[in-house]
Amino acid sequence: MDLSQVFSDVFYKRVARTELESTNNHQHELNASNMKKFFGNPEDSINGRIQWLYFSDSQLESEESDFTYYDSRKRHPSRSEWRLYYKTNFISRFAGNGDLLIIARDTREKLYGFIFDCNSTWFNSALTLFEISAGSLFEKLVERTGLENVQLESRRKLLLEEAGLDLVTGYSGRELEDDADMLFKRFGNSFPPTREMSSLARQLVSDTHNPDDDLVNWISREEELFRALEKRFLQEKIEIGFADVDEFANFALSFLNRRKSRMGYALQNHLEAIFDNSGLRYESQVVTEGKRKPDFIFPNGRSYRNPDFESELLTFLGAKSSLKDRWRQILNEAARIKTKHLCTLQQTTSRDQLHEMEEESVILVVPEPLAYNYSSCNNVITLGEFITWEKAKQKLYTNME
């Protein structure tokens, strides 16, 4: 699977200060002469709709607006100057000089305008996602043949999910239908428990015997299975129809809630399998102070509740697929363990948030394929490093037993 199965054409450039100055003068235009091929080399102006999205470490914003692509020098006998006129204040509110602008058309002909803050970790993620060199950010069009060379492996799939983009457009056709048929035969006309879906995903993916790669591959495969089943159920329900608005609203809400909760449970399920394969001693959902239930305690709850078991030999690991401000929830889940480890699939977070975590003695555990934005951070380790460290710690008290 490659990026051409999600986007058919991609145009990128740096936002220039002069364009922002024009924006502040209410001209609402971007210099876009090199986008002419993107729009099919039009002879006259064209109109359409575009979904703008802004990414920074502190916020994600979105807005849809009309646009016009036109030649501002149309009446000039020898010159042309094509511009993208957009009917919104979105860019003037969020974009800054040097930000990365990517205009992309998906396989359903929908247009996106991605703006990535040049000082954010999202900027590096965008370069990774579209395989763009940081040294070549002048106006450039990447057509479908170029996108075919960018493999949409697990890291990029999860990055698109993190950006809030639905991958059903890219994961479609025969693959999706085959998965849906297999799931219906196995589980019938209902969503299976997440633990069963996680187990199936692991069976369908070859082990690499590398915990970081295995975790990412399993999570990505389970996401594909879930979306295949979800789309089949959604299609069937649409064909049947809804009795009224309330039935539609309740159906939509159940889908959204299932999406939100499923990934977190899937992460816990796959971590358990990895710890079992690694021979680690652990217990999940241990009851600690105030009936709180940490995701994982090493070696187990009995040792945690034993005052004679040294607290330095205990380990806490939380599991949250995304961070935002939810990372603070782990701080009071195990009072005996000062340093908290937190496994996440999130590939981008702000330096300020990482600094806050460091001050609270929180160490992030990020699978190596997703950790490229964290390479210079003191309080971030890979899953493999966490396992190696915990194995060494468990040897200390195993030898004393």
Side-chain angles (χ1 to χ4, degrees):
M1 185 175 183
D2 57 64
L3 203 57
S4 71
Q5 293 173 268
V6 179
F7 300 110
S8 59
D9 302 277
V10 170
F11 173 87
Y12 63 86
K13 60 171 286 184
R14 288 268 201 175
V15 177
R17 180 180 289 108
T18 53
E19 293 173 307
L20 299 176
E21 291 169 354
S22 296
T23 299
N24 291 332
N25 287 329
H26 308 293
Q27 294 185 30
H28 291 251
E29 293 181 335
L30 292 169
N31 298 324
S33 292
N34 290 334
M35 284 187 67
K36 191 174 180 182
K37 191 174 181 180
F38 180 93
F39 286 110
N41 294 311
E43 295 296 326
D44 205 350
S45 61
I46 60 173
N47 299 296
R49 297 279 290 176
I50 186 168
Q51 183 74 46
W52 297 102
L53 299 103
Y54 173 73
F55 299 86
S56 74
D57 287 336
S58 60
Q59 62 188 133
L60 302 179
E61 302 289 343
S62 178
E63 181 180 310
E64 191 171 12
S65 75
D66 295 323
F67 75 88
T68 299
Y69 187 65
Y70 77 105
D71 184 2
S72 63
R73 302 270 185 176
K74 184 176 181 179
R75 296 184 179 180
H76 194 281
S78 59
R79 291 183 60 188
S80 66
E81 189 172 313
W82 289 82
R83 294 178 177 272
L84 184 70
Y85 172 77
Y86 49 90
K87 302 173 184 179
T88 176
N89 293 320
F90 188 85
I91 293 180
S92 61
R93 284 163 50 208
F94 298 113
N97 180 46
D99 287 354
L100 176 61
L101 171 68
I102 295 179
I103 306 293
R105 180 187 293 107
D106 72 11
T107 54
R108 295 174 296 189
E109 297 297 311
K110 181 174 180 177
L111 291 183
Y112 295 90
F114 302 108
I115 304 168
F116 297 94
D117 180 355
C118 62
N119 296 311
S120 70
T121 51
W122 272 109
F123 182 88
N124 293 328
S125 295
L127 300 181
T128 297
L129 175 60
F130 292 98
E131 209 165 84
I132 298 172
S133 169
S136 61
L137 293 181
F138 298 103
E139 297 184 18
K140 185 175 180 179
L141 173 67
V142 182
E143 298 179 89
R144 181 183 291 274
T145 52
L147 297 173
E148 289 173 351
N149 297 323
V150 182
Q151 289 302 305
L152 196 56
E153 25 73 297
S154 299
R155 175 181 61 174
R156 291 190 173 94
K157 289 180 184 178
L158 292 173
L159 188 57
L160 285 172
E161 288 291 326
E162 195 174 321
L165 299 175
D166 196 331
L167 256 181
V168 170
T169 55
Y171 173 60
S172 58
R174 190 67 260 161
E175 287 179 327
L176 186 144
E177 293 300 323
D178 288 346
D179 278 347
D181 290 342
M182 172 192 64
L183 292 166
F184 262 64
K185 289 178 182 178
R186 183 180 290 255
F187 300 117
N189 193 27
S190 62
F191 276 98
T194 306
R195 185 171 291 276
E196 292 185 29
M197 186 79 91
S198 298
S199 176
L200 176 60
R202 292 194 296 272
Q203 295 173 33
L204 297 174
V205 177
S206 299
D207 289 352
T208 66
H209 304 293
N210 178 309
D212 294 270
D213 291 336
D214 283 339
L215 179 60
V216 172
N217 292 340
W218 293 342
I219 287 285
S220 180
R221 187 67 180 104
E222 184 170 348
E223 180 67 16
E224 291 177 346
L225 294 174
F226 176 80
R227 291 303 178 90
L229 199 55
E230 185 184 59
K231 186 175 182 181
R232 177 68 64 84
F233 281 131
L234 186 57
Q235 287 175 334
E236 291 185 350
K237 185 59 180 176
I238 290 174
E239 291 173 1
I240 296 172
F242 298 92
D244 51 36
V245 173
D246 288 339
E247 184 186 0
F248 171 77
N250 291 333
F251 183 81
L253 183 61
S254 68
F255 259 66
L256 291 175
N257 288 339
R258 187 182 291 110
R259 280 189 177 187
K260 290 178 182 178
S261 63
R262 182 197 54 80
M263 182 67 85
Y265 289 123
L267 176 58
Q268 294 177 38
N269 294 337
H270 295 309
L271 284 173
E272 287 184 8
I274 285 172
F275 297 150
D276 289 339
N277 293 342
S278 300
L280 287 176
R281 297 168 61 183
Y282 72 92
E283 189 174 346
S284 59
Q285 303 300 310
V286 171
V287 177
T288 59
E289 300 82 4
K291 297 184 178 179
R292 297 181 178 89
K293 293 184 178 181
D295 294 315
F296 297 98
I297 292 290
F298 301 78
N300 50 48
R302 180 175 54 81
S303 298
Y304 182 85
R305 291 184 290 271
N306 179 4
D308 294 328
F309 193 91
E310 295 183 28
S311 59
E312 290 79 8
L313 298 179
L314 296 167
T315 299
F316 170 103
L317 179 70
K320 294 189 182 299
S321 58
S322 61
L323 297 174
K324 299 182 180 179
D325 290 328
R326 296 170 61 236
W327 65 270
R328 295 183 179 278
Q329 296 171 1
I330 71 171
L331 297 180
N332 63 353
E333 288 187 346
R336 288 194 65 194
I337 305 174
K338 179 181 178 181
T339 299
K340 305 289 197 300
H341 289 80
L342 177 59
C343 184
T344 184
L345 303 175
Q346 186 167 313
Q347 301 179 55
T348 57
T349 192
S350 69
R351 298 291 170 176
D352 289 341
Q353 190 174 66
L354 282 170
H355 181 65
E356 286 184 66
M357 293 180 188
E358 190 170 13
E359 289 184 331
E360 297 287 355
S361 299
V362 174
I363 297 176
L364 278 187
V365 179
V366 184
E368 191 276 332
L370 312 182
Y372 54 94
N373 276 323
Y374 300 102
S375 57
S376 60
C377 302
N378 295 326
N379 60 324
V380 180
I381 61 176
T382 67
L383 180 59
E385 289 171 334
F386 172 82
I387 291 172
T388 299
W389 172 78
E390 180 60 26
K391 277 185 175 180
K393 181 191 285 191
Q394 292 196 2
K395 282 184 178 179
L396 295 176
Y397 52 79
T398 299
N399 291 336
M400 293 185 295
E401 292 177 350

